[in-house]
Amino acid sequence: MTNTEPVEAGTSSVIGVDVGGSKILARVVDPATGAARGRVKKNTPTDGPGAVVDAIVDSVRALDGWADASAIGVGVPGPVTPDGTAGPCPNIVGWDEPVQVATELAERFGKPVVVSNDVNCGAVAEHRIGSGRGHADMLAIFVGTGVGGGLILDNELIVGQRGMVGEIGHLTVDPGGRPCGCGGFGHLETYAGRAGIDNEMRRRTDANRHLLSQVGDSQLKSRHIAAGLEAGDELSAQLIEEAAHALALVIGNAATLLDLPLVVLGGGIVDRLGEPFLEQIRTSDDFGGVGVDFTELVLARRLDDAGAVGAAFLVADPI
Amino acid sequence: MTNTEPVEAGTSSVIGVDVGGSKILARVVDPATGAARGRVKKNTPTDGPGAVVDAIVDSVRALDGWADASAIGVGVPGPVTPDGTAGPCPNIVGWDEPVQVATELAERFGKPVVVSNDVNCGAVAEHRIGSGRGHADMLAIFVGTGVGGGLILDNELIVGQRGMVGEIGHLTVDPGGRPCGCGGFGHLETYAGRAGIDNEMRRRTDANRHLLSQVGDSQLKSRHIAAGLEAGDELSAQLIEEAAHALALVIGNAATLLDLPLVVLGGGIVDRLGEPFLEQIRTSDDFGGVGVDFTELVLARRLDDAGAVGAAFLVADPI
C-alpha cells in the first residue's frame, strides 16, 4: 500500500498521531504520498486530557526522526473546533469537556500542530490516497459501532464551527423511531451502526434464533452479521435491509443537498459485507432525490493507519 | 431598505439581472452595500435561450450607467454549473437544455459575467445584506410554489459540480410518500411547497370544506392558507402541520450534517405565516439531530429585488 512505503531521504516529513479510546499511534508520514514509517504505540491514559496530551508528546518524541518533521497532525475521537479545541471525547475516560489542546501541543513541540476529529482524518486519507483520490467533492461514511463521516468540498475538509460536521450518524431517518444514545430518536446509527443493530436484534429475537445464538452475551461483531446473512438467517437479512434503507435515505439526501458526485463507504460493517451491501443501498427505493444517477457509491480503500496518515495530511496542508 | 438607496457618484458599480419565468429585471447595484438604482423590466422571451440572452443584453444596455459598470451578474431559474452553463429552466418556455450563456454574455458585453441560479442569488442577498449578514455559514430555504435554497459555507456560495445544491426541495422526508413532480416520492416540496399542499388539499377535501371553497378552481395562494388557519379550518392546520414537520426534518438533518448555526427561511408561505410557522418548525419533534440547540431559525428579510442584487454580489465577489 502506498501509505506504508518508506519515506525517501531528503523528503520533508510530518508526524501523524491517531488518538483512540485505548491506544495512541504515532507515525512519520511523507505528506506527498502518505507513505508512513516509524511506529510508536502507547496506551491512552484514562486520567483526563492533560495526561493524554503528555502521552501524545511522549509518543511523538519516541519516533525516530521526529525532530526533522515540520509539523504534527493529531486526530482525536471527538469534535474539534477550527481553533483546535477538542472534546468531549466519550471514548476516552476523563475527557469530558472541550480543551484547547492544539495550542498546548504546539508550545510543547515548538512546531505547528493541527488537531482534528479522527473520523474526519480517515475521510481525508480516503480523499488523498484512497477511493476519493482525484475527486474535489466527496462524503465519506464509516459504519462501525456508530456511524461517522467526513465531508470534503472543493478539496477542503468541512468541519463546521463546532467541529460537528462528521456527526452524520445522528441524521434522522425515521422520526420517532429507534432510540439513540444521544437522546434522539430514529437516527441513522440506530439502524446502520453495530450497536444499534445489536440492540434491535436483542429486542426482536430470543436465544433460539440464529443471529443471537452466534453472538451470545458478547457484543455483536460485523462477522456475526456476515455469517448470519450467509446462513440465510431471516433476522440478519431484515436488520441489514433496514440498515441499507437508512443509509440510502441519508446518502440520497446528503447527495441531493450537496450535489455530491462521490460517497465513499467504509467501517467494519461495510468492509465485511462489501459490494453487495453497496448494491443494496443503491437499489433501495429510498436512495432518492436528484442525485441518484449522478452520485457514485464506492467502498473505502481500508488504508493502513488512516487516522494517523489523514492527520498528517491535514497539518501538511492545513484546512 | 439598504438595497434601494441610490449609489453615490464615484462608487464602482455592477449590474444585477434576474431572469424569471415571465420577466427579466436589470438593475445597477453598489456591490459594497447592495443599494440599487435604475430599473429595466422586459418580458422573458418564449422562443429559447438565444432569445433570452438577447433580451438580457437589451435589458442591461437600456440601463442608465451600464457602460460604467465593471461586470454583470445574472440569475436564472435553473441549475448553473460553475463554468456558467445554465439550464434546463423549466419555467422558461423553450429553454430545455443546458446552454453556455456566461461566455456568450461576456463576449457580448465585453465585461466579466457570472451566471448563477436565481434562488442561490436570493440566498446570497440574504447573506450579504439580509438576515444572514455577519454569518459565515448559513442555509437559506425559500418556500413558495416549490422549495429551493442556497448554501453558504465560510462566506462562499456552494453550488456543486452540476449547480444543483439549491435543490433542497427534493430531499426525501417520507420514503414512498406523496408523489413529486420530479418522479420521486415523499420529497420536501410535496409537503411544504404551495403546489404540493394544493394537490394534497384537493386529494383530501371536497367543495364543502373551508380551504377549497376559498380557493376554488384557481391555484392555492399563501393567503388562502393563512386565512384558513385564521378561520380555524382543520385541513389548513393539518397541511401546515405536515409542512412544518417536513421542514423540521430537513432543517434538522441539514443542520446536523453541516453543523449550521443559521437557517434563514423565506418565500411566499413563510412570509405569509411568519414567526408562528417558524416556532412550529422549531418545536416539532422532528427537528432533531445534534444541531437543535445550536441552529437558529430566522425569517428572511424579504429584500427588494433580491435575485438581481444577489447576482450583482456574486459577480462583484465571484465565487
Side-chain angles (χ1 to χ4, degrees):
Chain A
M1 279 200 163
T2 52
N3 65 330
T4 54
E5 301 291 320
V7 176
E8 282 177 29
T11 308
S12 84
S13 61
V14 291
I15 309 280
V17 183
D18 187 18
V19 180
S22 58
K23 298 281 177 192
I24 294 172
L25 171 69
R27 304 210 64 185
V28 181
V29 177
D30 175 355
T33 63
R37 65 187 163 93
R39 175 188 294 272
V40 171
K41 214 165 185 174
K42 287 191 184 296
N43 290 328
T44 306
T46 55
D47 35 1
V52 176
V53 165
D54 288 343
I56 293 169
V57 173
D58 292 346
S59 305
V60 171
R61 290 202 165 138
L63 271 175
D64 250 5
W66 92 268
D68 299 329
S70 59
I72 295 104
V74 180
V76 301
V80 184
T81 63
D83 75 347
T85 300
C89 300
N91 294 334
I92 299 184
V93 178
W95 195 334
D96 306 322
E97 298 289 336
V99 179
Q100 222 312 348
V101 289
T103 307
E104 188 183 342
L105 284 168
E107 281 169 13
R108 301 271 292 268
F109 287 123
K111 300 180 191 235
V113 170
V114 165
V115 179
S116 196
N117 170 267
D118 58 350
V119 182
N120 280 181
C121 291
V124 168
E126 282 294 331
H127 175 245
R128 302 292 170 88
I129 56 170
S131 296
R133 194 172 179 159
H135 290 262
D137 301 337
M138 64 167 264
L139 175 65
I141 302 179
F142 298 100
V143 185
T145 304
V147 178
L151 176 64
I152 285 150
L153 296 179
D154 202 13
N155 291 309
E156 297 205 3
L157 178 69
I158 306 293
V159 299
Q161 289 181 15
R162 299 178 301 170
M164 300 282 271
V165 167
E167 295 297 335
I168 195 166
H170 297 282
L171 267 67
T172 304
V173 296
D174 183 20
R178 297 188 195 167
C180 185
C182 74
F185 291 89
H187 291 182
L188 170 62
E189 72 175 31
T190 66
Y191 297 86
R194 209 158 38 222
I197 295 174
D198 196 341
N199 288 340
E200 188 67 13
M201 170 194 72
R202 289 172 206 277
R203 204 183 65 76
R204 288 202 207 169
T205 197
D206 59 61
N208 296 327
R209 301 288 286 270
H210 178 96
L211 187 56
L212 187 56
S213 73
Q214 301 300 307
V215 180
D217 290 335
S218 75
Q219 276 191 331
L220 179 73
K221 307 282 186 197
S222 299
R223 64 181 159 81
H224 296 132
I225 301 172
L229 288 178
E230 202 155 310
D233 174 56
E234 203 181 293
L235 180 60
S236 301
Q238 273 169 16
L239 291 169
I240 286 304
E241 177 68 33
E242 288 168 31
H245 151 106
L247 284 163
L249 188 58
V250 162
I251 293 170
N253 279 343
T256 299
L257 179 63
L258 297 168
D259 200 22
L260 288 175
L262 184 73
V263 176
V264 174
L265 281 142
I269 290 182
V270 174
D271 292 347
R272 183 66 72 160
L273 303 184
E275 184 56 38
F277 186 51
L278 259 57
E279 189 58 17
Q280 214 171 344
I281 297 170
R282 286 187 200 106
T283 56
S284 165
D285 285 346
D286 300 328
F287 187 40
V290 294
V292 184
D293 300 331
F294 175 63
T295 308
E296 205 185 342
L297 262 59
V298 299
L299 294 171
R301 266 197 59 195
R302 306 177 58 179
L303 301 158
D304 289 342
D305 301 334
V309 172
F313 280 128
L314 275 172
V315 76
D317 180 14
I319 290 176
Chain B
M1 279 199 163
T2 53
N3 65 330
T4 56
E5 301 290 319
V7 177
E8 283 177 29
T11 309
S12 84
S13 60
V14 290
I15 309 280
V17 183
D18 186 20
V19 180
S22 58
K23 298 282 177 192
I24 294 172
L25 172 68
R27 303 211 65 184
V28 181
V29 177
D30 175 354
T33 63
R37 65 187 162 94
R39 176 187 293 273
V40 170
K41 214 165 185 174
K42 287 191 184 297
N43 291 327
T44 306
T46 55
D47 35 2
V52 176
V53 165
D54 288 344
I56 293 170
V57 172
D58 292 347
S59 305
V60 170
R61 290 200 165 137
L63 272 174
D64 251 5
W66 92 268
D68 299 328
S70 59
I72 295 104
V74 180
V76 301
V80 184
T81 62
D83 76 347
T85 301
C89 301
N91 294 334
I92 300 184
V93 178
W95 195 334
D96 306 321
E97 297 290 336
V99 179
Q100 222 311 348
V101 290
T103 307
E104 187 182 342
L105 284 167
E107 280 169 14
R108 301 270 293 266
F109 287 124
K111 300 179 190 235
V113 170
V114 166
V115 179
S116 196
N117 171 266
D118 58 350
V119 182
N120 280 181
C121 291
V124 168
E126 283 294 330
H127 175 245
R128 302 291 170 89
I129 56 170
S131 296
R133 194 171 180 161
H135 290 261
D137 300 337
M138 63 168 264
L139 175 67
I141 302 179
F142 299 101
V143 184
T145 304
V147 177
L151 176 65
I152 286 150
L153 296 179
D154 202 12
N155 291 308
E156 297 205 3
L157 179 68
I158 306 292
V159 300
Q161 289 180 15
R162 297 177 303 169
M164 300 283 271
V165 167
E167 296 296 335
I168 195 167
H170 297 283
L171 267 67
T172 304
V173 296
D174 184 21
R178 298 187 195 169
C180 186
C182 75
F185 291 89
H187 291 182
L188 171 61
E189 73 174 31
T190 67
Y191 297 86
R194 210 158 37 221
I197 295 174
D198 196 339
N199 288 340
E200 188 67 12
M201 170 193 74
R202 288 172 207 278
R203 205 182 63 76
R204 287 203 207 168
T205 196
D206 58 62
N208 295 327
R209 301 288 286 271
H210 178 96
L211 187 55
L212 187 56
S213 73
Q214 301 300 308
V215 180
D217 289 336
S218 74
Q219 277 192 330
L220 179 74
K221 307 283 186 195
S222 299
R223 66 181 159 78
H224 295 131
I225 301 172
L229 288 178
E230 202 156 312
D233 173 56
E234 203 180 295
L235 179 61
S236 302
Q238 274 169 17
L239 292 169
I240 286 305
E241 178 68 33
E242 289 168 30
H245 151 106
L247 283 163
L249 188 58
V250 162
I251 292 170
N253 279 343
T256 299
L257 179 64
L258 297 168
D259 200 23
L260 288 175
L262 184 74
V263 176
V264 175
L265 280 142
I269 289 181
V270 174
D271 292 347
R272 182 65 72 158
L273 303 184
E275 185 55 40
F277 186 50
L278 259 57
E279 189 58 18
Q280 214 171 344
I281 297 169
R282 285 186 201 108
T283 56
S284 165
D285 286 345
D286 300 327
F287 187 39
V290 293
V292 184
D293 301 331
F294 175 63
T295 308
E296 205 184 343
L297 261 60
V298 299
L299 294 171
R301 266 196 59 194
R302 305 176 58 179
L303 302 158
D304 289 341
D305 302 332
V309 172
F313 279 128
L314 275 173
V315 76
D317 179 15
I319 289 173

